[in-house]
Amino acid sequence: MDDAVAWFETALALDPNYLPAQIRAAEGLLETGELGASERLYRRVLDRSPVEPRARLGLGRIHAARGELPKAVQQYETACTLNPGYAEARYALAMALRELNLSEKAQQHLALYRQSPTGQPSIEDPVLQRVLRQEAGADTYTRAGVERVNAGELELGAELLERALELNPRDEGASSSLLIAYGRMGDQSRAGEHFRRSLKVLPASEDLHFNYATILARDGKFDEASELFARVLEINPQHADSYANLGYIREESGDVETAVDHYRRALDHDPSNPTARFRLGRLALAQGLIQEAVGHFRAALHAARDQRDQLLYGIATASAMAGDFAEASRIAREAHASARSSGNTALADAIEADLVSFQQRAGSGQ
């Protein structure tokens, strides 16, 4: 670490405002116990970029090392607000809250941490981008592009993936990831054009077919999406997500019997499939089959990446239907925190309204 700090400081001697080196040097100084020097660098970063979550996490760790836990919590909370998926900040916040005996809040943040235990903000690095443009091969562009897409930097990620495909049009990972980027940007035109172009060189790519089918389904083009999901199953008859999505399309069209059959086929190949479990849970709940519904929701929680708030809400609703309003309140609070963290404000508002009712009925002993 001492050697690393020396190199970061050399970089800063060449360019004192080079943000990546400032952040890395501050992190290194913190690791070596140089709290004062580390704090000065972090504050230099925040003077130029007040929304830099890594600097907020670093200041929080400095406060924690000095025994200033309330100040540490403030910095951790700011880091999590700036980047809700920042795993290190979320975990540090949970541990600090636990030390302050705020156990309930600590558990809420631990639950959010478990949703994305590896998430972290990227650092804008113009020097790295110049190196990539000049020296990189297709694989390097693909890795960098996927990293940027996962960090939410969709335009930059798409640019890097497009460059990868210029160098290697048969790079299936770059092609499928570029579709994801276009889909998340809501750019249906580029997504369709890219899919048709890529299909000429990768006609049997299940990822290409599946990703574009997902984009079409989200746009309400169910007939075209169904054809592509069916094509995925021709390529790979064990593709559980395609069965689950076909089930969803059939359910939306009113054919519940066929939908349930597709959901169960998905579970044959992936017993924890979140989409199939969630939809089967909702159908069971509508029929008053509370235990069956809870079983589906809980099975999906282990595999869900972006449905955790909905699954918890389903369990809370089932608990209320069973008359256990104290349990319904507890789980609804966790669902509400998850929905807020993921930016799903409509769902958070719906949960909040039910939570008030659950708490009232729990308090009255109903």
Side-chain angles (χ1 to χ4, degrees):
M1 188 58 71
D2 289 334
D3 290 342
V5 169
W7 281 110
F8 293 138
E9 289 177 339
T10 301
L12 290 173
L14 296 169
D15 181 357
N17 293 318
Y18 184 27
L19 186 67
Q22 288 179 329
I23 292 173
R24 297 302 190 194
E27 290 172 345
L29 288 165
L30 176 56
E31 290 295 324
T32 57
E34 298 289 337
L35 302 186
S38 177
E39 181 177 6
R40 286 191 292 274
L41 262 182
Y42 279 130
R43 295 201 180 278
R44 280 176 57 191
V45 170
L46 292 174
D47 285 342
R48 292 180 54 221
S49 180
V51 295
E52 175 50 60
R54 289 177 182 266
R56 295 293 179 182
L57 173 62
L59 288 177
R61 286 178 168 164
I62 290 169
H63 285 307
R66 292 169 174 165
E68 302 165 347
L69 282 181
K71 290 183 178 180
V73 165
Q74 289 178 353
Q75 295 293 345
Y76 295 150
E77 287 178 335
T78 301
C80 292
T81 300
L82 293 170
N83 190 305
Y86 193 178
E88 288 180 79
R90 188 72 66 181
Y91 186 80
L93 175 57
M95 294 300 100
L97 290 168
R98 180 178 289 177
E99 285 193 55
L100 291 170
N101 294 319
L102 298 172
S103 301
E104 185 173 337
K105 288 186 68 175
Q107 287 303 317
Q108 291 174 1
H109 287 286
L110 273 177
L112 294 173
Y113 161 76
R114 293 188 186 105
Q115 291 180 39
S116 181
T118 60
Q120 61 178 328
S122 61
I123 302 176
E124 185 178 347
D125 193 337
V127 175
L128 175 60
Q129 295 311 313
R130 290 202 299 273
V131 171
L132 287 173
R133 290 188 184 97
Q134 294 173 12
E135 302 294 338
D139 289 346
T140 304
Y141 279 109
T142 298
R143 286 193 298 271
V146 169
E147 179 182 329
R148 294 299 185 269
V149 170
N150 289 340
E153 300 173 24
L154 301 178
E155 288 288 355
L156 176 56
E159 178 185 336
L160 292 167
L161 292 167
E162 288 163 355
R163 178 61 178 146
L165 290 170
E166 289 175 10
L167 297 171
N168 180 11
R170 300 189 62 82
D171 187 333
E172 186 174 0
S175 282
S176 59
S177 296
L178 185 53
L179 265 182
I180 292 172
Y182 289 151
R184 288 174 61 184
M185 284 189 282
D187 195 332
Q188 307 290 344
S189 176
R190 279 202 289 177
E193 181 182 343
H194 171 66
F195 174 71
R196 289 185 288 274
R197 183 173 61 249
S198 297
L199 211 57
K200 294 177 182 178
V201 293
L202 297 164
S205 168
E206 64 184 72
D207 285 344
L208 270 178
H209 285 85
F210 179 81
N211 289 347
Y212 190 50
T214 301
I215 292 171
L216 292 171
R218 287 175 180 165
D219 200 35
K221 298 177 181 178
F222 289 152
D223 290 342
E224 296 173 64
S226 294
E227 291 179 9
L228 291 180
F229 285 131
R231 174 60 180 144
V232 174
L233 292 170
E234 290 176 5
I235 299 168
N236 177 10
Q238 298 183 10
H239 200 282
D241 284 333
S242 289
Y243 279 119
N245 287 342
L246 280 171
Y248 169 76
I249 291 172
R250 295 274 66 80
E251 185 182 347
E252 288 296 298
S253 68
D255 187 356
V256 176
E257 184 177 349
T258 303
V260 169
D261 179 63
H262 282 307
Y263 294 146
R264 297 203 180 281
R265 289 190 181 201
L267 297 182
D268 287 341
H269 302 295
D270 177 13
S272 297
N273 186 271
T275 300
R277 287 288 187 185
F278 176 66
R279 304 303 298 189
L280 287 171
R282 283 172 56 93
L283 290 170
L285 208 57
Q287 299 172 44
L289 303 174
I290 295 172
Q291 294 304 315
E292 181 179 335
V294 171
H296 285 304
F297 293 143
R298 290 199 180 280
L301 276 173
H302 299 293
R305 294 182 296 273
D306 53 8
Q307 289 180 286
R308 185 175 179 82
D309 45 11
Q310 298 178 64
L311 293 165
L312 289 168
Y313 189 25
I315 297 172
T317 303
S319 299
M321 290 174 65
D324 190 346
F325 293 104
E327 179 70 359
S329 299
R330 184 185 69 80
I331 298 174
R333 281 193 294 272
E334 188 176 348
H336 183 263
S338 178
R340 285 290 184 201
S341 177
S342 62
N344 194 343
T345 54
L347 180 61
D349 291 343
I351 296 170
E352 187 172 7
D354 278 347
L355 177 57
V356 171
S357 174
F358 296 161
Q359 290 173 330
Q360 289 173 344
R361 300 185 72 175
S364 66
Q366 293 184 9

